[in-house]
Amino acid sequence: MSASGLMKAVYYHKPREFEVRDVPIPQIGDDEVLLKGTGSCDSLESLRLSGVCGTDQHVHDGEFLAMFPLIPGHEIVGEIAEIGSNVKGFEKGDRVVTDPGSMCGTCFYCRRGKALLCENFQGLGVTTHGGFAEYVATKARSVYKFYNLSDEEATLIEPAACAVHGMDKLDAPVGVEALIIGSGPTGLILAQLLKLNGATRIVVAANKGIKMDIAKQLETADEYIELDRENPSAQWEELKQRNPYGFDVVVEATGSEKIANEAINYVRRGGTLMVYGVYNNDALVHWPPSKIFVDEIRIIGSFAQTHCFPRAIAYLDSGKVKVKGLVTDVYPVSDFEKVLDKMRSKTAVKIAVKP
């Protein structure tokens, strides 16, 4: 640990205004652990990382519940550096991931068993300081060990937990046909979970590029529709012609307002549309209520997760859900501006930040 008691971190003063600066290393309570990175190691496999996702771009813009000042980063892979006096079952040096969400347990929704809708929801890297730093303090109850994944691959555990929650919300029967719109990491993990849990046919529709290339390498679907980023109308029309009855399940995983508006047109009568992307706060949809009514379409949302980390780790650690190669770029904390530029370029699948 730094003799000065300071660490490097990405520090936002307010939306879109950040710097990489020295901040105090967090102090832990009796029920907490301190996670550290090992940024001095030469091997990429031994680094401790934080994954970057679309949520972090929304945090950058001051959306998605973000509160400032803030150290972002919620997909945290760490090594335990310190253990609170009440903590059992962990040792220094354990490789772990942490569930970033924290619920109050006492609000209207928590007391009704709907903890994910907590009115006082707190999230590492969103409302409290997170993982784009050399050290992170977190509740020991939120920390989970993993064993067979590289640190890069382990940054996908939090997205996988969100995908597990998405499966719970879908509650899809065996034998469904599903369309996943978008080929980001969480959507590709959800596609694999659908395949493993009884879907007979998975179609992934997404823009041509590196994300779709990885989707094919991981064999996430049975069919792939590669969209022309500038003019995708021909591919959408082909999708309709080849699937005149649509799909039992359509997952909108792009975060695009335009595509969210169109996605309902690919849902089979009696089917389900899941709104799964992270959207701008001012995004709106305009779906015809007559179609929802006559076709008995079920529309659901899937936001984050609770209590899904153990299942996510089991799927990834066992290799049943494949994530190798999803992390395409790794940057040090000091290059966080490059991280944002890379995200905007849409030439990465998953980015990680190392301490």
Side-chain angles (χ1 to χ4, degrees):
M1 189 175 297
S2 171
S4 67
L6 298 175
M7 65 176 183
K8 294 289 184 185
V10 176
Y11 189 90
Y12 275 79
H13 298 277
K14 59 183 181 180
R16 302 187 186 90
E17 184 179 307
F18 70 89
E19 61 179 321
V20 178
R21 58 178 286 186
D22 288 329
V23 298
I25 294 172
Q27 302 298 304
I28 62 170
D30 293 339
D31 299 310
E32 295 183 318
V33 295
L34 185 69
L35 308 184
K36 71 172 181 177
T38 54
S40 62
C41 293
D42 294 327
S43 169
L44 184 61
E45 289 297 308
S46 67
L47 294 177
R48 306 300 178 245
L49 306 166
S50 284
V52 184
C53 82
T55 298
D56 296 302
Q57 180 64 59
H58 287 274
V59 167
H60 172 78
D61 293 329
E63 299 184 333
F64 198 76
L65 312 177
M67 298 178 65
F68 299 89
L70 178 70
I71 298 171
H74 63 280
E75 299 172 351
I76 300 165
V77 181
E79 177 182 311
I80 293 182
E82 289 186 11
I83 301 174
S85 60
N86 294 337
V87 176
K88 307 296 182 185
F90 294 98
E91 298 180 357
K92 290 183 179 181
D94 282 345
R95 291 197 308 153
V96 298
V97 290
T98 184
D99 184 340
S102 178
M103 291 70 182
C104 72
T106 59
C107 73
F108 176 83
Y109 292 103
C110 284
R111 287 170 63 86
R112 291 172 66 89
K114 301 289 186 181
L116 187 54
L117 307 179
C118 175
E119 296 175 288
N120 305 302
F121 174 86
Q122 298 290 309
L124 291 174
V126 179
T127 64
T128 60
H129 290 331
F132 295 162
E134 294 177 277
Y135 291 89
V136 183
T138 185
K139 296 288 186 182
R141 66 171 183 254
S142 300
V143 168
Y144 299 87
K145 299 177 189 177
F146 64 93
Y147 301 96
N148 300 320
L149 300 167
S150 70
D151 293 321
E152 285 184 77
E153 293 164 348
T155 62
L156 277 302
I157 291 174
E158 192 275 344
C162 295
V164 169
H165 175 69
M167 288 292 294
D168 290 344
K169 291 297 298 290
L170 280 171
D171 193 24
V174 171
V176 298
E177 295 181 306
L179 169 65
I180 313 296
I181 306 176
S183 56
T186 314
L188 296 183
I189 292 171
L190 182 65
Q192 293 181 67
L193 289 174
L194 279 162
K195 183 185 288 189
L196 288 164
N197 287 278
T200 57
R201 179 167 166 256
I202 306 290
V203 178
V204 169
N207 291 328
K208 292 180 181 179
I210 186 171
K211 290 183 180 181
M212 189 59 108
D213 293 341
I214 296 293
K216 292 178 180 180
Q217 290 174 27
L218 295 178
E219 299 179 333
T220 56
D222 301 293
E223 299 174 28
Y224 305 89
I225 303 294
E226 293 190 273
L227 304 173
D228 185 312
R229 190 179 295 275
E230 300 302 322
N231 184 20
S233 57
Q235 291 88 49
W236 285 120
E237 185 59 33
E238 178 189 0
L239 184 63
K240 281 186 178 179
Q241 290 178 0
R242 290 170 56 182
N243 301 277
Y245 287 101
F247 296 84
D248 300 294
V249 170
V250 174
V251 178
E252 201 308 287
T254 68
S256 163
E257 177 182 9
K258 180 179 180 181
I259 295 178
N261 273 284
E262 291 294 325
I264 197 169
N265 296 320
Y266 299 89
V267 182
R268 184 170 293 171
R269 297 188 73 185
T272 298
L273 170 62
M274 186 161 79
V275 180
Y276 194 54
V278 181
Y279 304 84
N280 294 334
N281 289 350
D282 58 357
L284 295 173
V285 290
H286 305 277
W287 295 319
S290 60
K291 179 176 178 62
I292 298 168
F293 168 64
V294 172
D295 288 354
E296 291 198 343
I297 292 174
R298 184 173 68 122
I299 299 174
I300 61 173
S302 179
F303 160 70
Q305 56 79 45
T306 54
H307 310 300
C308 295
F309 264 67
R311 286 180 287 166
I313 292 171
Y315 270 115
L316 269 62
D317 238 356
S318 67
K320 288 183 169 62
V321 168
K322 304 171 187 176
V323 295
K324 188 175 182 62
L326 280 176
V327 175
T328 53
D329 300 85
V330 180
Y331 292 89
V333 164
S334 58
D335 284 344
F336 191 68
E337 186 66 58
K338 293 181 180 178
V339 171
L340 296 174
D341 290 341
K342 189 72 173 181
M343 289 181 68
R344 297 185 192 105
S345 74
K346 301 186 183 300
T347 58
V349 181
K350 186 74 176 175
I351 303 171
V353 172
K354 63 183 180 182

